[in-house]
Every structure is written in structure tokens, then in C-alpha cells.
Amino acid sequence: MTSEILTIGDELLIGQIINTNQAFIAEQLNLINIRVARMTTVGDEMVEILDAFADAWQHHDIVIVTGGLGPTHDDITKKAVCKFFDTDLVQNQDVRTHVQEFMNRRNRPWSPAAEEQTMVPRKAEVVWNPLGTAPGMLFAEGDKRFIVLPGVPYEMKEMILHSVLPLLVLLVHDSVIRHKTLRTTGIAESDLSAALGDIDQLLQGARLAFLPSPAGVKLRITVFDTDAASADRKVQEVEGRIREKVEKYIYGTGKEELQEALGRLLLERKKTIAVAESCTGGLILQLLTSISGSSAYVDRGAVTYSNRSKTEMLGVSPDLINTHGAVSREVAEAMASGIRQAAGTDIGLSVTGIAGPTGGTPDKPVGLVWVGYADLSCSLAVKHHFAGTRETIRERAAAAAMELVRRKLL
Amino acid sequence: MTSEILTIGDELLIGQIINTNQAFIAEQLNLINIRVARMTTVGDEMVEILDAFADAWQHHDIVIVTGGLGPTHDDITKKAVCKFFDTDLVQNQDVRTHVQEFMNRRNRPWSPAAEEQTMVPRKAEVVWNPLGTAPGMLFAEGDKRFIVLPGVPYEMKEMILHSVLPLLVLLVHDSVIRHKTLRTTGIAESDLSAALGDIDQLLQGARLAFLPSPAGVKLRITVFDTDAASADRKVQEVEGRIREKVEKYIYGTGKEELQEALGRLLLERKKTIAVAESCTGGLILQLLTSISGSSAYVDRGAVTYSNRSKTEMLGVSPDLINTHGAVSREVAEAMASGIRQAAGTDIGLSVTGIAGPTGGTPDKPVGLVWVGYADLSCSLAVKHHFAGTRETIRERAAAAAMELVRRKLL
């Protein structure tokens, strides 16, 4: 069984937007073992759309089309679909009710364009679009499926995840599918893999994807099962076995970022934090304060690029800097203690290092980073060697610093 | 005349990477008036590649293929090309010399994989790849062109911009093409368009694209001409006419970001800066210090989220905050003066505002941002109202703050 993804829109052909829909759908189909054999993009041109439909439908079992379902004159996908399947448009009462409620909630008046959205090809089944007004459409011929979705990414994603995938899993595998993502940080992909041990024993039929980024590795569990409750239970079991082995590296699940997980924990524990950054230059503060409501736990921060600023803002003694250098355990600790005292917060956090590409020495190479931590009862510093560009080193350092605080809070 | 872009690689079909190559090539072809009619992606499978070649070559005049030229076993594009054009591989001495130099510079030993890279289809012309070892290939039949490039984005981009486009422009338009991008900030797209006035008179045959982003609007000038010197002169003339009207909004050209332009100016003028951030939470500092060598002009920064930190770190009087509120002209000015005095820098910069989504009031709505500036001779603050999400408001505020310093330096 193979599939083709067909994206429609002039804006794609002029390179105005990058086709992220395609990659998203491809990833999701692969997760349920449906091979994507081809991805095609054409513009809002009837002949080219019909050619692409014919080609895809002839060669593949599953065709997923996105784009061109909007209410403007250049959105012709619905017309093309009617031609291709030799059918006409009829009004769908459920869709009409949904579109009316949708417009009412937004205080938008009824319009011919809204009316147009309530029309669905007679031969199609509606694929529900909870987040928009353009209904999705499904055509079936034997085991083949032709599915048409709007191109608006968040509408399309919702429909793929909650309508299309369950339907295809049932069709292809006679089963349901469940995912869960566990987010780790502070451990490399290879070490994580080693720590998880025998992968077959761990998964017992489930699937696991390793998704690395500078801030950490995500583990995505996928389970197919004939029964929903059993699938949920299996995901839980796999998660349990993973947590047994690498619990301390897991900071969150799903889409939760490290700064959100840390923020949540700081709120829960009623702790406040202040940050002193050298090589990360404000990145940690920027990440922490990107969360709405972070003013409840972020009191302040200092970006101390010059040695003098480390002394004046954080009270780091010039002697300490002269003796050990600005990038050292001693200075990292003094920076964390210094910002904590100045701010009167529960926690002080600091980073000092060499982000590069220049400024490294044999003793202190590019990528050397000290992360400092201080609270009422202790202060400490942890040494890291990060690889990568200036940007990557800064991202890794920021993640390591936030993770240190998270671990201390637990 | 139409074109098709064909991208090859299993990693695209499993959604592991997003197809940015496609959008880049599409944008470039459109710039020279070559319509992209279709974009197709297939995996590393001989039959599917050959089908896609045949389909594209039958329907379109220009076919651009990327991917699958690497030296590993799953890279089969070169083999497919030989089959398709019924030709064999011969060693190319120029390519061999280039690959040898390339390996030597990197201290990498000669290998069968390197040897493989020096082989080129007999019927193909080589498209030079200065940044990598896989040569590009060009096949011509009458006015039709079939061009094969590596999938590594920076290699491909270099080859498109410096080999493929000039060649196609000559072929299609019997002319050369020149681009120049002027980067503006602090003016909305519609105001910029109004300020430029009569567009035909401004351009006199050249083309102009408006490319907006939260940090500002880029203006891309494109000129076609039969003569290179004349094209260069026309770009210069259009740039001159644009600068006459909106010079003060233009901070740089090409790929230069605002933080780079500001950094360059600070270095030139031998000025140092310190920054106090509230709602931007470290974003300005992070941007300024993302530039290697920024320690020469960034002394320090303070992220003052709490009112107390504004007082303790910047010397802003509690009375001032109580009377005017933390988001006010008075506090913005006092923050800028305060960080400047504490740091002993030439310039102090500050931001205080409401990034949302919560925290707004009728008097001080989400998006209200005061930017403060202080130097030896003056201090001032500028009020802004930014629209958008928390992230966009923070980005716009950071750009406005950096731009204020740039203007004061000029």
C-alpha cells in the first residue's frame, strides 16, 4: 500500500511559503506504516489539478490533498474534486450549523462565501473541521481513499490527527493508534539509547522514535492496537519502562518546552529565580520570560559580558577572576551566589563559557561552559563541553542551565 | 515556458526534514519570470525517479532536480540520470582536481567515494559546485534544460544563484539578472509603499518585492538587462531613488540583520552599550550578543522583571514607579540612564512594556511599549503600540529599541 500527498496553491509554487504541511502529513503517515511514495505540488489551475488527481489516484491507494478549499475565487479544489469524481455539490446541514455557529461566535455576518462552505460533493463523506469553516472530504473506492483537507496548517493538523489517522489505521491495520512524546534533556541520543537497554524488551511491539535537537532528545512512543483501551494501556506500560531507566532526564511530555516545565515547577514550589548570564548573553532569561506569567517567578537577570560588570552587578571579586579566569568553576559559583543575594530570590543561576567561534584556547576551548547554581543551602557549578556553532552552543548551555535548576528542585 | 522542481530523498518522504530547497528554487525561478508549474518529491527508488524524470521532461522546458548525489549507497540520482539520458560516466579532470583540493584542505584521505564524485555523465555539462564535492550536471536538448544539483542546501543555493540562474536568464531572456535587498525597520509595509510614491517612476522597468517580518520590511530590487554593467547601474539607480525617499529606515543590505548593522556602527564609532530590559526579557541582549565579537561593545545588561529589581539594579526610584507605573515614559528613561550610569558605558538602552497576552488594561493595553535611550548628553523615551502575539510584540520591541540606538548614532 502506498500513498501520495498532493498540495495545491500558487503561493507554494512561487516559493512564498515553505511546504510544512507536506512534511507533517508524511511524518504522520509513516508513523502508521503507510509509505509515502510521492509528494506533488501544483498551482490553482484546473487542468494541472485534474492531471495530478488522475496520476495520484491511478498509482496509489491513499491520496491526501490539501489546499484550495478557501472561499476566494482562486480556491478551486472543491470544483476540481467534483469534476474528477463526476459529482455535484449539495448542502450539508451539519456543516451549515457548524459554519453558522463559527461565524456567530466571531460576530461575522453570513455571506455568500459562508454559504459556499456549507456545500459538499454529493459522493463525499465529510471530514469534520472543528477549527475552521471549510469541510474536509473523503471519497472511497474499495480499499482506496481520496481525502481532501484545507491548507490552513492548524486546521489540517487537527483533522489529520483526530479524523484521518484513526480512520486510516482502522482501514489499513484494522486497529487504533496512540502516541506519546517524552521529552528528555541532558543526555545524548547515543547514551539515551544505551541507557534504555534491550529495545525489543522495552517496546514489546510498540514503536519508538528518537528526535534530537540542541535542547534535548524527544522520545515518541507509538502503539497500534485493535482496542483503544488496550492501546492506551500499552503506551502507559512502555512509558513506565522508559521512566524506570531514564526518569531523571525526562522533563516533560507532549509539546511542553523545558522553560515551561521549569516555570511550572517554580510556581508549584513557590520559588523565585534570578539569572546571571555571560556567554548565553540573555538567552536563558529570554526563554524563561517567553512564558506568559513568568513574572511570578523570574525576578531579574544580569547579562555580565565584561569582567567589571561581573564584579559590579554580582559582587564577583576581581581577584577571583584574575586567579581562575572568567570561565571557571569559581566564577560560575560566585556569579550564581551573587545574583541570588542581589535579588533576594530563592535561587541564583549562572552561565559562563566560550560560545565561539573565536576566543578559545587549548586550556579553555570553544564549547567549554560552566553552569553555576546557588540556593539558601548550597552553591555549586557543573562543567560542560558542548559541540556546534555559536548558536548551538548557546542553546545547549541554556538547556543545561535550566535543567540543573529543575533537577535541584526535584 | 514552464518548469518543474524535482526533489529526491527518502528523508523527505518520511517527513524527517522540511523541503526548504523546493521553496528556495521556486522563489528564484519566479524572480526571473520562469513559472514553476509543478514540484514533485520521490524517494531513492530507481523506478520512481525514472518515472518522475520522464514525466517532468515531457511536460516542462526546465527541470531542476536536487538530491541523491552523495557518495552513499542510497544516493542513486547520478545512475538514474545516466539511464534516463542513455549515457555513461566518464572522469572529469577539472572536477577531480577540485575534489582533491577539497579533501586535502580538510585533511581527508582519498577514497572510492571521492573517486566516484569525479565521474560525470558523458553527455552532461558540469555545473560547478564550489562548496562541495558532488558536481552538478546540465543536459540540454534544444531550448530545454535538465539540471541536477546536490541536495545539501548551502551547496545547492550557491549553485542556483551563481551558475544556474545566470544561465537560465541568458537562455530565457537573453539577458543578465541582478538583485539587491535593502533592509528597513521602523516603518510598516503600507507606509513604506506610500512613502515610495509612484512605483513605475521609481522602478523604471525594475522589479521590487516587499518582504515583511516582525523586525522590518525587506525591499528586493531585481533588474534584467542584456548587459551586466547596465544591469548593475540600473540597480544602483533604483537603490538611489529608494534611498532618496526612505533612507532613514534602511539599516542594511543583503543578509545583514539589525543587530549586525548596529554592532558594526557601535564598533566604528567606538561606543559601548548596556541594556535594561523588562518585557523583552533578555531578547535584545541575546540578539546583540549572538554576534561573535560583540563583547567589544556590549558591556552588560539587566533584565528587571520586578519593580524592586528596577530600583536595585538601575536606581529607578520607587516613587517614580508608584506615580507613573512601571510601563511609562519616566521609568523607561530612568532605566536607560540607570543602566548607563551603573555600567559606565556611552549608551544606555531600555525597554518596558506589556507583551501580553495578559496584563493589559484600557489605559495600558497589551502591545504598549516604551523604549528608553540615554547617552552623555541626553535621555529620552519613545512610545510604541505593537500588534501580535507575545512573541511578535517582543520581537518588534527589540527591533524598535535597536533601531533607536542606530538612529541616534547616525
Side-chain angles (χ1 to χ4, degrees), chain A residues 28-100:
Chain A
Q28 298 304 320
L29 291 178
N30 274 281
L31 271 173
I32 58 169
N33 273 341
I34 294 178
R35 188 171 103 79
V36 178
R38 190 181 169 109
M39 307 197 288
T40 304
T41 304
V42 295
D44 304 301
E45 295 280 337
M46 186 56 76
V47 175
E48 285 164 12
I49 293 175
L50 290 174
D51 276 355
F53 281 179
D55 206 34
W57 196 225
Q58 182 192 335
H59 289 99
H60 305 290
D61 310 284
I62 310 281
V63 177
I64 301 202
V65 180
T66 71
L69 290 188
T72 62
H73 72 283
D74 56 341
D75 290 309
I76 59 171
T77 300
K78 197 150 69 178
K79 277 199 204 86
V81 167
C82 285
K83 273 198 188 180
F84 185 65
F85 285 102
D86 191 22
T87 184
D88 59 340
L89 291 170
V90 290
Q91 188 159 79
N92 182 296
Q93 272 309 320
D94 291 343
V95 172
R96 191 186 172 90
T97 307
H98 168 68
V99 174
Q100 272 170 340

Side-chain angles (χ1 to χ4, degrees), chain B residues 197-215:
Chain B
D198 184 331
I199 202 83
D200 292 334
Q201 205 176 342
L202 185 82
L203 295 178
Q204 299 183 13
R207 302 177 68 177
L208 188 68
F210 288 70
L211 309 165
S213 78

